[in-house]
Amino acid sequence: MEIREKENRQVKVKVSHLTKKFGDLLVLNDISFDVEKGDLLCVVGPTGCGKTTFLNSLTKIYDVTSGEILLDGHPADPKKDHIAYIFQGNSTMPWLTVEQNVAFGLDIRHVPKREKQELTDRYLEIVGLTKYRRYYPKQLSASMLQRVSIARAFATEPELLLMDEPYGQLDIELRFKLEDELVRLWEMTGTTVIFITHNIEEAVYLGEHIMVLTNKPTTVKETMRNPLPRPRDIAAPEFVRLRERVTDLIRWW
Amino acid sequence: MSVEQKRKLITCTNIDKSFKVPEGIHQVVSDFSLEARENEFICLFGPGQCGKTTLINLIAGFELPDQGSILVAGKPVTSPGPERGVVFQNISLFPWLTVMGNVEYGLKMAGVPKKERQERAQKYIDLVGLQGFEHAYPVKLSGGMRQRVGIARAYCIEPKVMLMDEPFGALDAQTRYLMQEELQRIWQTEKRTVIFVTNNIEEAIYLADRIIVLSNCPATVKKEYVIGLPRPRQYTSPEFLALRKEIQQ
Amino acid sequence: MNKKQKNITELICAVVSILTFLILWHIGVKGELGRLMPGPLPVIRMFFATLFGGTIGSRTMIIHILYSLIRVMAGYFLGAAVGVVLGLSMGWSRLVEAVFSPLFRIIRPIPPIAWIPISIIWIGLGEDAKIFLIFLASFCYVTLNAWSGAKNVDPDYLRAARMLGAGKRQLLFTIVLPASIPSIFAGLQVALSSCWATVLAAEMVRSSEGLGWIIIAGMNNNDMVQIMTGILAIGLVGMLLSMIFRKVEARLCQWNKSGS
């Protein structure tokens, strides 16, 4: 436990003065934050607050106008550093089976065959899809597809996992199930996760830390630690209090 | 006037519905019965994909039941009719018409003269808070705004019953809260009998007078809750959360 | 990068690429090749010289262009009108579809120029025959696209319209027709280039004016400059037509363009 505590204090991602302009339009304004190694950081902000731009800048899909993103102390480079993404909606390849989809990221990284098979088997088992390994995505439900994406991302054992509203379109019951599964995987692997969502309840349920963004031009309004013990209870008074506090910071509607 | 004294507007009795699929026959609704009174807001809540939309389609008259009967305002349902407005999950605005064009469409089809129908359409555009966007095409609108048009379009034919099939299912969580508040406001200004399908329990508790919990595949009534909380409701009040836990079981 | 900068960049790229092409062409024909192929300058000179003033054969360039254009337009619009009506009817009514689709499926794969010999035997290759060929070229594409457009109308639009009280006729004119317009326009666009190809083929077979005739007459006189001038004119007119076409489409399908 103590070792983990110590590890936790190590900074994995350091973002300093991240600024992004489109022409004259300032979208991200001087964003700075740290993510500790093994953290699960939930990022919430009002609708239309530039979360997508934030993510795309973080992954260097966009060139940032100014500022720095450091991963383990060196400038992050998606070509070299091992960053995995999970998006909303289905991003599985329809022409590959469930098993091949999970192995896809490993193929790209030229993981040796034996190891690839082991990792694939392990993560299929963890997300409970071993039975469906020979199925094609078309034959699966939305939540199963999202599980395939999650297994695919975790199987590559990324240094950093970015999740962009991955459960936005699922109904509550499935969402809770997958959220619990994510927490389990995160606890097991100690992966550093940045989880972006619109859903305040989800952010409070999942996050070790919660970062609240403002409306455009986006800045960090507040970052808070979420001390609630797991498993969390959405009806517990402390949970409700934290949820309301975050809501007050965001509320535009 | 208490709910009991108001007249029944919708009566569904022992409805069965199944579809032919390659694997055989797929039953999606089984022995479903429902009574809805005037100006009652009913949420059909259930997880999963199956049966709920079919129920809306049956009451709307897009499909006919295999067994059982559906009466709306005393008349059996055999086809879509102007006393039933439908708000669709994927909104389905006509993209080649402006906001005004969409909202006045029903009146135009009914042959209402231009001036009158535009006045009436304007009333509902104002009601959903879209004044200023009359001449915008749907592609230019955000998801929440599109669904406002969808609601105005259905309201504009002045139906007795509004059927809403997961109207906010495609919106993000925050816009969804906003639209729930908006729908409540609209409904309180222009009362109608509403059948609202959702798989979001918060939404159901926030909006409904009565929640009908459906089983998944085939859909049938599992349980019923009368929601007595005063409006507007608080998502994080203890009573709300307690109800949520109870229904979620 | 803002929009204005982007447009300027695109313009510069266009000018540079065309100029480079002309220069390469100019240099390329300096040596041996020059005996088979004229350089760009004489071709451009001839194009402008004959545009209004001088003549190729007995007519100026602009008259030749007009001849070809009028033939195309007559057949194109006729074919488009019949195609839209037939295509929409096939998409709308199972019966119409059952009657016409087998026939249509056989006629469709036959390229319009395959009909040239028959037209010559039947009605000679006068104006009506040329227009008939162009009609075929336009009709097939437009029918096909109107048909698939009408068949693939989002059923939710139809349900929404029925819910709002639209009757059968109203569904056809207020939903199926507008919903098919993007597909119809895609057909019209392909049809236009197909018509343009057909008119040239027809003119090359038999005529005494038009752009196709310029090329064939050039070949008969062994006049490479005239051939190249004809080809240049074909390219320019084709480009102009598709530009006009896109403007009209953007106007009519405003609702189909998102962009903010």
Side-chain angles (χ1 to χ4, degrees):
Chain A
M1 199 62 213
E2 219 169 68
I3 296 169
R4 184 147 187 213
E5 283 288 304
K6 219 173 191 175
E7 247 181 24
N8 274 356
R9 269 182 234 116
Q10 208 179 313
V11 172
K12 182 78 190 174
V13 186
K14 188 172 186 62
V15 174
S16 44
H17 309 294
L18 180 65
T19 300
K20 173 70 190 168
K21 285 181 189 168
F22 289 106
D24 296 331
L25 185 69
L26 181 62
V27 183
L28 304 180
N29 184 15
D30 195 24
I31 294 181
S32 299
F33 64 93
D34 291 349
V35 188
E36 291 165 355
K37 186 160 193 249
D39 195 1
L40 203 176
L41 174 74
C42 283
V43 181
V44 270
T47 298
C49 77
K51 280 195 285 272
T52 307
T53 310
F54 174 74
L55 190 86
N56 286 345
S57 301
L58 217 55
T59 57
K60 300 267 182 122
I61 289 174
Y62 295 150
D63 289 328
V64 297
T65 308
S66 66
E68 237 186 352
I69 303 162
L70 299 178
L71 196 68
D72 289 329
H74 61 82
D77 178 357
K79 287 196 195 84
K80 276 191 233 135
D81 296 318
H82 189 173
I83 303 172
Y85 319 92
I86 297 174
F87 299 108
Q88 179 174 350
N90 172 24
S91 62
T92 56
M93 323 283 172
W95 58 89
L96 299 178
T97 61
V98 167
E99 184 174 15
Q100 288 165 335
N101 263 293
V102 174
F104 183 79
L106 301 168
D107 280 330
I108 285 181
R109 307 211 151 252
H110 306 296
V111 173
K113 207 172 168 193
R114 265 267 293 290
E115 201 186 331
K116 185 176 89 185
Q117 195 58 51
E118 274 172 26
L119 282 167
T120 308
D121 289 349
R122 194 165 128 219
Y123 284 94
L124 276 175
E125 184 67 42
I126 291 175
V127 298
L129 286 177
T130 309
K131 241 171 63 192
Y132 300 93
R133 60 193 313 154
R134 308 237 179 278
Y135 283 56
Y136 283 95
K138 272 229 165 106
Q139 300 164 283
L140 304 183
S141 68
S143 70
M144 285 159 100
L145 290 175
Q146 203 53 274
R147 284 185 171 159
V148 177
S149 304
I150 290 168
R152 182 175 63 187
F154 271 101
T156 59
E157 304 189 319
E159 293 177 72
L160 176 63
L161 177 60
L162 296 170
M163 305 180 78
D164 183 13
E165 192 102 28
Y167 310 139
Q169 301 296 328
L170 302 178
D171 70 41
I172 288 196
E173 222 171 305
L174 292 169
R175 220 187 64 211
F176 278 141
K177 235 192 226 162
L178 289 179
E179 283 167 6
D180 287 339
E181 199 168 271
L182 172 68
V183 169
R184 203 158 51 89
L185 271 166
W186 166 75
E187 283 176 334
M188 264 174 55
T189 57
T191 309
T192 311
V193 181
I194 299 181
F195 189 104
I196 299 182
T197 179
H198 274 100
N199 190 321
I200 297 160
E201 189 178 86
E202 185 171 51
V204 176
Y205 189 75
L206 288 176
E208 278 295 287
H209 286 88
I210 300 168
M211 183 163 87
V212 180
L213 300 178
T214 65
N215 228 322
K216 271 180 203 159
T218 310
T219 56
V220 177
K221 190 159 199 173
E222 197 175 322
T223 304
M224 61 190 86
R225 224 180 96 73
N226 181 349
L228 302 177
R230 296 178 197 271
R232 291 172 180 165
D233 174 7
I234 56 144
E238 313 83 61
F239 188 97
V240 169
R241 232 175 290 132
L242 191 55
R243 176 180 164 180
E244 279 174 344
R245 194 173 143 217
V246 177
T247 308
D248 286 341
L249 287 171
I250 290 173
R251 193 178 167 94
W252 53 271
W253 67 95
Chain B
M1 209 165 32
S2 78
V3 174
E4 279 68 31
Q5 287 165 323
K6 286 181 183 167
R7 66 195 181 94
K8 281 181 216 161
L9 211 52
I10 305 175
T11 316
C12 301
T13 327
N14 309 110
I15 301 175
D16 283 347
K17 179 75 186 174
S18 48
F19 292 105
K20 280 199 191 104
V21 288
E23 297 83 43
I25 287 186
H26 184 49
Q27 181 152 25
V28 288
V29 177
S30 161
D31 196 25
F32 175 84
S33 297
L34 169 78
E35 282 186 352
R37 291 167 192 280
E38 206 173 347
N39 296 346
E40 198 178 8
F41 200 120
I42 295 182
C43 281
L44 302 181
F45 167 76
Q49 318 293 322
C50 150
K52 288 178 301 199
T53 296
T54 307
L55 280 172
I56 290 285
N57 283 342
L58 288 168
I59 301 173
F62 295 131
E63 278 157 30
L64 295 176
D66 302 337
Q67 295 280 325
S69 72
I70 302 171
L71 299 176
V72 172
K75 275 179 275 171
V77 168
T78 52
S79 66
E83 76 285 355
R84 283 158 286 144
V86 185
V87 179
F88 297 90
Q89 181 172 9
N90 50 8
I91 310 178
S92 304
L93 297 183
F94 307 127
W96 55 89
L97 298 178
T98 59
V99 169
M100 175 57 86
N102 270 282
V103 176
E104 67 167 4
Y105 181 88
L107 298 177
K108 195 171 173 183
M109 293 303 105
V112 177
K114 187 167 179 182
K115 194 161 166 252
E116 190 192 333
R117 74 171 185 252
Q118 296 211 330
E119 274 168 17
R120 273 164 70 183
Q122 189 65 50
K123 176 183 156 194
Y124 291 102
I125 291 172
D126 293 350
L127 177 69
V128 299
L130 281 181
Q131 48 276 58
F133 290 94
E134 291 83 358
H135 305 295
Y137 283 97
V139 277
K140 305 268 186 196
L141 304 180
S142 68
M145 287 162 86
R146 281 183 211 176
Q147 198 51 287
R148 286 171 195 261
V149 182
I151 292 169
R153 181 176 69 175
Y155 255 108
C156 195
I157 56 171
E158 306 194 329
K160 295 195 181 80
V161 175
M162 290 284 272
L163 304 168
M164 304 195 177
D165 181 13
E166 283 191 52
F168 308 144
L171 304 178
D172 70 74
Q174 294 165 24
T175 309
R176 199 164 177 157
Y177 285 129
L178 169 70
M179 289 305 291
Q180 288 164 14
E181 287 173 20
E182 283 290 285
L183 178 60
Q184 171 161 289
R185 177 185 62 76
I186 292 165
W187 176 71
Q188 284 182 326
T189 341
E190 288 275 333
K191 284 254 168 120
R192 295 284 188 278
T193 305
V194 179
I195 307 283
F196 187 105
V197 164
T198 182
N199 60 16
N200 183 313
I201 186 62
E202 280 191 297
E203 190 164 277
I205 299 172
Y206 185 79
L207 291 168
D209 290 324
R210 197 145 57 94
I211 297 177
I212 314 265
V213 181
L214 298 175
S215 61
N216 190 23
C217 245
T220 174
V221 178
K222 223 161 92 180
K223 223 167 175 186
E224 196 180 309
Y225 295 87
V226 175
I227 311 296
L229 303 178
R231 291 191 165 94
R233 296 167 182 162
Q234 296 295 322
Y235 293 101
T236 47
S237 72
E239 302 81 28
F240 195 108
L241 288 166
L243 260 173
R244 206 178 133 179
K245 273 206 161 157
E246 188 187 338
I247 299 174
Q248 197 108 63
Q249 291 311 315
Chain C
M1 201 155 52
N2 64 31
K3 219 171 175 180
K4 212 169 167 189
Q5 278 175 315
K6 213 171 176 178
N7 285 343
I8 291 171
T9 320
E10 274 173 15
L11 191 70
I12 292 171
C13 288
V15 170
V16 168
S17 95
I18 289 172
L19 273 181
T20 313
F21 171 74
L22 289 177
I23 290 168
L24 285 178
W25 179 9
H26 185 76
I27 297 168
V29 297
K30 277 254 180 296
E32 271 303 285
L33 206 60
R35 277 197 280 168
L36 296 169
M37 177 83 177
L41 289 173
V43 172
I44 293 170
R45 210 177 297 128
M46 180 169 181
F47 179 78
F48 283 106
T50 57
L51 194 55
F52 298 107
T55 57
I56 300 177
S58 56
R59 293 179 171 84
T60 62
M61 180 59 99
I62 205 85
I63 298 293
H64 283 297
I65 291 175
L66 281 177
Y67 261 104
S68 297
L69 268 180
I70 287 167
R71 285 168 184 149
V72 165
M73 287 305 143
Y76 178 65
F77 284 117
L78 216 60
V82 178
V84 167
V85 173
L86 181 63
L88 286 183
S89 316
M90 283 164 78
W92 180 240
S93 150
R94 284 273 172 82
L95 182 70
V96 178
E97 184 177 29
V99 172
F100 283 97
S101 73
L103 201 62
F104 184 73
R105 280 179 213 277
I106 296 172
I107 293 175
R108 193 178 72 88
I110 305 170
I113 47 176
W115 300 95
I116 289 182
I118 293 191
S119 329
I120 293 179
I121 293 168
W122 283 353
I123 40 183
L125 199 57
E127 289 311 309
D128 24 1
K130 290 197 188 84
I131 291 170
F132 170 68
L133 291 171
I134 296 158
F135 167 85
L136 278 176
S138 146
F139 162 78
C140 284
Y141 285 109
V142 177
T143 307
L144 192 70
N145 276 269
W147 180 16
S148 85
K151 257 193 111 66
N152 295 321
V153 173
D154 187 338
D156 281 335
Y157 294 155
L158 294 170
R159 292 200 308 160
R162 283 175 63 206
M163 171 275 284
L164 295 165
K168 265 217 132 185
R169 258 178 72 93
Q170 289 174 319
L171 284 181
L172 178 60
F173 287 106
T174 65
I175 305 294
V176 176
L177 178 62
S180 307
I181 281 191
S183 171
I184 291 174
F185 260 91
L188 286 171
Q189 174 115 47
V190 189
L192 188 58
S193 23
S194 163
C195 288
W196 197 229
T198 307
V199 79
L200 292 173
E203 285 173 352
M204 283 161 82
V205 171
R206 185 175 299 170
S207 68
S208 50
E209 65 288 294
L211 291 172
W213 174 84
I214 291 183
I215 299 177
I216 282 297
M219 185 186 80
N220 293 338
N221 301 338
N222 210 2
D223 184 346
M224 277 307 289
V225 177
Q226 183 176 328
I227 294 178
M228 291 307 294
T229 308
I231 289 177
L232 176 69
I234 290 166
L236 287 177
V237 175
M239 184 180 78
L240 222 63
L241 281 180
S242 71
M243 272 164 68
I244 294 170
F245 187 92
R246 247 173 275 147
K247 281 263 183 294
V248 173
E249 185 186 17
R251 216 31 187 310
L252 280 173
C253 297
Q254 235 174 8
W255 52 271
N256 209 14
K257 303 269 176 296
S258 50
S260 45

